[in-house]
Amino acid sequence: MAPRGLIPAAPARAGLDAGELAALVREVDALPARGWCGGAVVAAGRGPYLAVEHAAGWAVRWTAAGARAADPEPVRTDTPFDLASLTKLVTAVLTVRQVERGGLGLDAPVARYLPEFGAAGKDRVTVRDLLTHTSGLAPELPFHDGHGWDLLWRQPLTRTGTCYSDLGFLALGRLLERVTGARLDALVRAEVTGPLSMAHTGFGPVPHAAATEDQRRPRAKADRGPLRGVVHDENAHALGGVTGHAGLFGTARDLAVLCRALLSGGGPVLRPDSVALLLDAPGLGFAVDQPWFMGELAGRGAAGHTGFTGTSLVLDRATGTFLVLLATTVHPVRPARPDSRPRAAAATRLARAVRGPLPE
């Protein structure tokens, strides 16, 4: 069955060049052999058309660091991946949905809805500040060392300007639960994945997901051993696996459906003006025009995000294009120096594939 809102189609029907998309597929095919990732799935298209859906490499290539699997398991187009920080995009959608309904004010203090957050001088931090990473919160805290939520409530502001922070989206997840009275996983199902028929997206555990890391200190923040189907992020794991900054698993086609919904005005999840709040610069949750992972799609208002496990998503309202690249760059261990060049190269291939206006 085709994903809701998407029509599998030849590149020409989508106004895309077949040669550029063939090159995109070849380059993704080469990534596991190069050692950039264990496995990858790419989905790309334009408007309602899904022109590329391709898998390369292995869902499980190593049983542990340095121990190659005797029978590696190939990745498939419907293999779920740990989405890592792409979770933040769904949290942002849920937050703007509550703003749309009048349950939240973007410029209202977070402490109005979540009083414990206001401790340690955080009483003036707004919902918008959390969404734009301008709250002054540090990037992260060591929940993985046995701490609970009180560690965040006691945390003072330590930064100025823009500072990417997992803590802001951790707080947003709790804020959404407080305002709605529902758990975050239930909210995601009711408000996003259910209405969009994203049947393969949700919080773990997901036993058949692509494996991530043999997680051990000192390269990681915790000693958990080989991970498959449980959240990779150490802090999300320590807080129960259902958080606003990480924890979702999903497939490339499900995320392509989300891209299509946003590109077509948000229905049935958001109104067009709410989509504009998310995607217009500087973006709410979404990063805007970032060439380091968007390649040549950046420059006209492209929006998206990346995830630590190797995931990325880009959508471009100017051309109607979308690109989802899910990969396991941490399999079997995280790289010493992350490399986003393959993400940018894939986005550039899609940008160069655009031929004329979007077909009707």
Side-chain angles (χ1 to χ4, degrees):
M1 180 181 297
R4 176 172 176 158
L6 290 175
I7 304 167
R13 188 176 182 191
L16 297 169
D17 180 75
E20 290 288 352
L21 295 189
L24 165 60
V25 167
R26 288 194 302 270
E27 290 166 4
V28 170
D29 271 336
L31 295 176
R34 283 174 45 192
W36 185 73
C37 63
V41 177
V42 61
R46 192 178 186 201
Y49 302 113
L50 181 66
V52 173
E53 188 179 21
H54 182 75
W58 300 270
V60 181
R61 190 178 185 183
W62 307 84
T63 56
R68 191 183 295 269
D71 187 17
E73 181 182 327
V75 72
R76 308 185 328 175
T77 55
D78 62 353
T79 297
F81 283 71
D82 183 329
L83 300 181
S85 283
L86 297 192
T87 302
K88 294 181 174 72
L89 302 185
V90 176
T91 300
V93 169
L94 288 170
T95 303
V96 171
R97 189 167 171 84
Q98 286 302 313
V99 172
E100 186 178 276
R101 292 173 168 174
L104 285 175
L106 273 178
D107 296 307
V110 175
R112 176 182 299 177
Y113 313 102
L114 196 64
E116 54 268 44
F117 178 86
K122 301 190 296 298
D123 52 300
R124 295 188 179 182
V125 172
T126 67
V127 175
R128 188 189 301 273
D129 291 334
L130 299 185
L131 287 164
T132 55
H133 299 280
T134 55
S135 65
L137 287 167
E140 61 180 4
L141 288 170
F143 297 97
H144 48 80
D145 282 342
H147 299 284
W149 285 98
D150 190 54
L151 184 65
L152 175 55
W153 311 145
R154 300 195 314 266
Q155 173 70 9
L157 304 178
T158 61
R159 300 293 196 275
T160 58
T162 301
C163 177
Y164 184 85
S165 175
D166 283 350
L167 303 182
F169 278 78
L170 276 166
L172 282 169
R174 294 293 278 188
L175 171 63
L176 288 165
E177 291 183 329
R178 183 68 57 83
V179 167
T180 65
R183 271 178 51 108
L184 188 60
D185 50 356
L187 276 175
V188 169
R189 285 193 301 270
E191 305 281 6
V192 180
T193 62
L196 292 176
S197 298
M198 295 168 60
H200 304 288
T201 298
F203 289 97
V206 182
H208 58 292
T212 53
E213 186 176 27
D214 181 6
Q215 195 171 92
R216 302 179 194 274
R217 300 176 194 258
R219 62 177 176 264
K221 302 181 185 76
D223 289 307
R224 298 169 60 202
L227 304 179
R228 185 181 191 188
V230 293
V231 62
H232 175 272
D233 184 273
E234 296 96 333
N235 283 331
H237 171 72
L239 293 170
V242 179
T243 64
H245 80 292
L248 280 177
F249 289 76
T251 61
R253 70 177 65 179
D254 270 9
L255 290 181
V257 168
L258 176 61
C259 289
R260 169 60 183 157
L262 295 174
L263 286 168
S264 60
V269 174
L270 293 172
R271 299 191 311 243
D273 58 323
S274 297
V275 174
L277 282 174
L278 290 169
L279 305 185
D280 287 349
L284 297 182
F286 287 75
V288 179
D289 285 336
Q290 299 295 313
W292 65 272
F293 77 93
M294 298 179 182
E296 292 180 11
L297 281 177
R300 294 170 295 185
H305 213 284
T306 64
F308 186 82
T309 52
T311 58
S312 59
L313 174 158
V314 185
L315 55 90
D316 180 29
R317 288 174 291 172
T319 59
T321 54
F322 57 87
L323 173 73
V324 178
L325 179 60
L326 304 184
T328 50
T329 57
V330 297
H331 185 62
V333 296
R334 65 190 68 188
R337 183 175 298 176
D339 178 10
S340 276
R341 288 175 296 178
R343 292 163 163 158
T348 292
R349 284 292 184 190
L350 181 58
R352 293 177 180 179
V354 174
R355 294 291 181 267
L358 182 64
E360 295 294 332

